[in-house]
């Protein structure tokens, strides 16, 4: 990390998500080495950054490759998950590949060993991180079981044949509205008696098997979070490998039991100590995923995502999000679009936070098939339009044909995951700053304001210029300059003031 901290700080982010691996800090049982943790904290602190640390304990991406050798080499003490005789096909595997170790979440020995290490980690932070560089902890990573809907190891089968937990039965009976309707229908039998999972569902019920695994993983992760908070009361969360998704239709194709959207109420009932549950988003329909996780009970935080600048504005403006982090941040090309978005947004931190609280903010990212988005600030309707499409059409009417815009530069430089294109969508934020006054930031958008009671006209448009001291007033825009209030290829900002004219 030593040569990377300066580059990361120059990218204008304010927080880095980094990892702490169980096998690295406890290579021998009971012998701990936190020098890697100390290096992360010191590197971030000296660069003016905050840290969110991920505990890679027994589970990472639905396998157990970060568990220490002394854990993985002792299956009698730490049993493996059993997928049954016909495991499902899973992502990121191929014919003839070596197996990835997957420990059973139902092993009490595993929980106690993982908890002991996690607690030593949290105690070490409490003792050494006196400047509060670390602001949150993610407990485990993308947990769940791949290859089967449920674990069939000895301890797991015993749990399957035991009564459904009373707290889950009560959660469904008392808060059924919080459950996905199809899941509630599948699980409804558990409210009628205290019979076992097996008695209620038998074999082959995907919803029941995923819920069974979700309860187990949530109990495990929530138990670690609760124990850690007794030593250092930092916010703690769990992240999700989302599912179902294309090509991953059933639990087991994606990690069964992780905090997927349908499993949120199960996780919330089993792990109340977790402050929120967070989606990792690599799919194109990001707004749909954000909407599933942004609820009054679950503030939106995105710990892993592609370099896609427009999604940051969506998360903050439309869904009230408080954090967004790209995967492979250190691979970002100097001056990449995501960095520009971070700088623009962080320079408006107070305005954004206040507007989120008061409901005075809109976030947008127009997809290719969208020409506009219509929304409201009270009685005022705002139409957010694709400026490039409108401008091209208007010039075409005048006999001028514009060439297609050039492709944006890639976001990354030498990333292991290959080329990541820039985001060419119109995107940004609209913040109501006063009566008939708005602050807009983003790219490629044009705005029209209407109200039923009177006629609204643009009174003035003041361009803003980003400086080391934040956004400062620049030119007054008028005439043709107003045909693209937010520039098409760069993130820009402006203040729009309207004039209200009586219809009489």
């Amino acid at each position: 990390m030593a040569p990377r901290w300066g580059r990361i700080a120059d990218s204008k982010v304010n927080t880095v998500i980094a990892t702490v691996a169980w096998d690295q800090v406890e290579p021998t049982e009971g012998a701990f080495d936190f020098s890697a943790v100390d290096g992360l904290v010191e590197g971030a602190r000296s660069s003016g950054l905050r840290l969110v640390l991920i505990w890679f304990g027994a589970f990472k991406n639905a396998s157990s490759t970060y568990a220490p050798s002394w854990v993985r080499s002792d299956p009698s003490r730490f049993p493996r998950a059993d997928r049954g005789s016909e495991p499902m096909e899973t992502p990121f595997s191929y014919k003839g590949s070596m197996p990835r170790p997957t420990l059973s979440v139902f092993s009490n020995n595993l929980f106690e060993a993982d908890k002991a290490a996690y607690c030593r980690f949290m105690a070490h932070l409490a003792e050494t991180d006196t400047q509060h560089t670390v602001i949150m902890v993610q407990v485990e990573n993308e947990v769940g079981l791949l290859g089967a809907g449920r674990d069939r190891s000895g301890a797991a089968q015993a749990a399957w044949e035991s009564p459904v937990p009373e707290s889950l039965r009560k959660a469904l009976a008392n808060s059924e509205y919080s459950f996905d309707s199809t899941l509630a229908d599948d699980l409804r039998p558990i409210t009628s008696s205290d019979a076992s999972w097996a008695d209620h569902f038998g074999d082959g019920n995907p919803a029941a098997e995923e819920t069974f695994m979700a309860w187990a993983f949530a109990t495990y992760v929530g138990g670690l979070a609760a124990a850690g908070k007794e030593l250092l009361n930092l916010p703690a969360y769990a992240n999700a490998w989302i599912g179902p998704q294309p090509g991953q239709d059933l639990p087991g194709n994606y990690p069964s039991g992780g905090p997927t959207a349908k499993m949120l109420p199960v996780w919330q009932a089993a792990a109340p100590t977790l402050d929120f549950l967070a989606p990792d988003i690599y799919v194109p329909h990001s707004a749909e995923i954000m909407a599933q996780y942004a609820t009054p009970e679950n503030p939106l935080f995105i710990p892993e995502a592609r370099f896609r600048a427009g999604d940051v504005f969506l998360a903050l403006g439309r869904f009230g999000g408080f954090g967004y982090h790209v995967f492979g941040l250190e691979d970002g090309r100097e001056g990449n679009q995501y960095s520009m978005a971070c700088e623009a947004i962080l320079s408006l931190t107070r305005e954004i936070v206040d507007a989120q609280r008061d409901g005075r903010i809109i976030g947008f990212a127009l997809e290719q098939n969208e020409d506009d988005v219509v929304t409201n600030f009270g009685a005022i309707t705002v139409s957010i339009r694709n400026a490039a499409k409108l401008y091209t059409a208007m010039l075409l009417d005048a006999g001028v044909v514009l060439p297609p815009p050039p492709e944006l530069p890639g976001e990354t430089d030498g990333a292991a995951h290959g080329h990541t294109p820039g985001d060419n969508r119109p995107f940004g934020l609209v913040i109501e700053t006063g009566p008939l006054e708005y602050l807009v930031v983003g790219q490629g958008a044009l705005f029209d304001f209407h109200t039923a009671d009177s006629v609204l006209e643009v009174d003035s448009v003041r361009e803003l210029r980003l400086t080391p001291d934040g956004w400062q007033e620049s030119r007054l825009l008028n005439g043709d300059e107003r045909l693209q209030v937010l520039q098409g290829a760069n993130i820009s900002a402006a203040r729009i003031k309207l004039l209200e004219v009586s219809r009489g």
Side-chain angles (χ1 to χ4, degrees):
M1 288 298 296
R4 298 178 182 267
W5 285 116
R7 182 175 178 178
I8 291 172
D10 289 343
S11 73
K12 310 303 181 184
V13 303
N14 61 356
T15 304
V16 171
I17 298 182
T19 64
V20 175
W22 184 9
D23 61 345
Q24 190 171 29
V25 302
E26 193 184 11
T28 303
E29 186 170 9
F32 292 90
D33 177 4
F34 291 108
S35 57
V37 177
D38 295 339
L40 286 172
V41 173
E42 175 55 32
R45 179 187 299 138
S46 63
S47 302
L49 297 164
R50 300 286 188 175
L51 276 177
V52 175
L53 290 180
I54 304 176
W55 174 248
F56 278 177
F59 301 103
K60 193 270 184 185
N61 291 29
S63 63
S64 301
T65 55
Y66 285 83
S69 299
W70 56 269
V71 172
R72 289 180 283 110
S73 63
D74 192 353
S76 60
R77 181 181 172 193
F78 304 106
R80 305 293 178 95
D82 183 351
R83 296 174 176 84
S85 57
E86 297 184 8
M88 306 164 68
E89 291 187 10
T90 59
F92 307 115
S93 64
Y94 52 90
K95 187 176 181 180
S97 67
M98 297 174 66
R100 292 192 184 99
T102 306
L103 299 166
S104 175
V105 72
F106 294 91
S107 166
N108 189 61
N109 286 339
L110 179 65
F111 173 74
E112 291 299 330
D114 199 348
K115 184 178 74 170
Y118 179 72
C119 285
R120 286 291 295 269
F121 160 58
M122 295 298 286
H124 181 79
L125 286 180
E127 179 182 350
T128 60
D129 184 24
T130 55
Q131 296 184 38
H132 194 45
T133 299
V134 180
I135 58 173
M136 290 197 298
V137 179
Q138 177 184 301
V139 188
E140 310 289 349
N141 186 84
E142 293 186 357
V143 300
L145 179 68
L146 284 173
R150 66 178 175 90
D151 183 1
R152 287 171 166 78
S153 64
Q157 192 61 31
W160 181 252
E161 294 170 359
S162 298
V164 174
E166 184 179 3
S167 48
L168 175 59
R169 294 170 56 225
K170 286 183 176 179
L172 181 60
N174 299 333
S175 304
E176 183 176 333
Y177 67 90
S178 68
F179 285 73
D180 175 86
S181 59
T182 58
L183 179 64
D185 288 343
D186 278 322
L187 296 182
R188 193 163 287 112
I190 69 175
T191 61
S192 61
S193 73
D194 59 356
S196 70
W197 297 90
D199 291 337
H200 280 306
F201 302 109
D203 267 334
N205 185 311
E209 291 185 346
E210 185 176 11
T211 304
F212 170 72
M213 295 303 297
W215 191 266
F217 275 108
T219 300
Y220 186 107
V221 173
L224 262 62
K229 284 189 173 188
E230 292 183 3
L231 300 164
L232 180 60
N233 192 20
L234 290 178
Y237 70 95
N239 68 326
W241 171 333
I242 62 173
Q245 55 181 295
Q248 301 174 30
D249 303 316
L250 294 171
N253 297 141
Y254 59 88
S256 181
T260 58
K262 278 192 176 182
M263 292 296 118
L264 291 184
V266 179
W267 272 73
Q268 288 163 344
T273 309
L274 291 173
D275 294 280
F276 56 91
L277 302 164
D280 293 346
I281 302 180
Y282 295 97
V283 295
H285 53 287
S286 53
E288 177 184 325
I289 305 302
M290 294 180 198
Q292 293 170 344
Y293 282 82
T295 70
E297 299 79 24
N298 195 70
L300 180 65
F301 179 80
I302 300 174
E304 285 186 38
R306 298 179 294 165
F307 280 82
R308 202 174 187 220
D311 282 2
V312 189
F313 291 87
L314 268 181
L316 298 180
R318 187 183 300 181
F319 298 106
F322 70 93
Y324 188 102
H325 194 278
V326 296
F327 183 86
L329 174 67
E330 69 278 9
D331 294 326
R333 173 185 55 82
E334 185 176 352
N336 69 76
Q337 192 183 28
Y338 174 74
S339 296
M340 294 168 60
C342 290
E343 184 176 18
I345 287 169
L346 291 173
S347 296
L348 295 171
T349 295
R350 175 49 54 196
E351 289 88 343
I352 290 172
V353 171
D354 288 348
Q356 285 180 330
R357 180 196 62 216
D358 300 337
R360 297 182 287 103
I361 187 170
I362 295 166
F364 64 92
L366 275 64
E367 300 297 339
Q368 192 65 35
N369 60 347
E370 286 185 296
D371 292 330
D372 57 35
V373 170
V374 179
T375 187
N376 296 87
F377 286 109
I380 294 179
T381 298
V382 186
S383 297
I384 304 166
R385 307 187 192 278
N386 186 320
K389 283 187 177 181
L390 286 175
Y391 191 50
T392 300
M394 286 185 285
L395 288 180
L396 187 60
D397 290 340
V400 179
V401 179
L402 290 179
E407 182 179 345
L408 293 173
E411 287 289 271
T412 57
D413 182 14
H417 291 77
H419 175 71
T420 302
D423 192 344
N424 61 5
R425 297 174 296 173
F427 60 71
L429 302 174
V430 183
I431 300 174
E432 184 181 43
T433 56
L436 302 180
E437 294 182 359
Y438 301 88
L439 169 65
V440 296
V441 58
Q443 74 173 24
L446 189 64
F447 307 91
D448 288 293
F449 299 83
H450 301 281
T451 183
D453 300 328
S454 56
V455 175
L456 297 179
E457 298 175 356
V458 174
D459 192 22
S460 65
V461 178
R462 171 71 74 172
E463 181 184 57
L464 301 179
R465 180 170 53 90
L466 189 55
T467 73
D469 297 322
W471 290 101
Q472 304 293 329
E473 288 193 352
S474 184
R475 302 178 300 166
L476 277 170
L477 303 182
N478 210 325
D480 296 346
E481 296 164 339
R482 291 185 183 175
L483 293 177
Q484 194 159 292
V485 172
L486 297 181
Q487 298 173 21
N490 295 295
I491 294 173
S492 57
R495 293 189 183 276
I496 300 173
K497 186 175 181 180
L498 304 179
L499 180 67
E500 188 171 18
V501 182
S502 171
R503 291 187 184 275

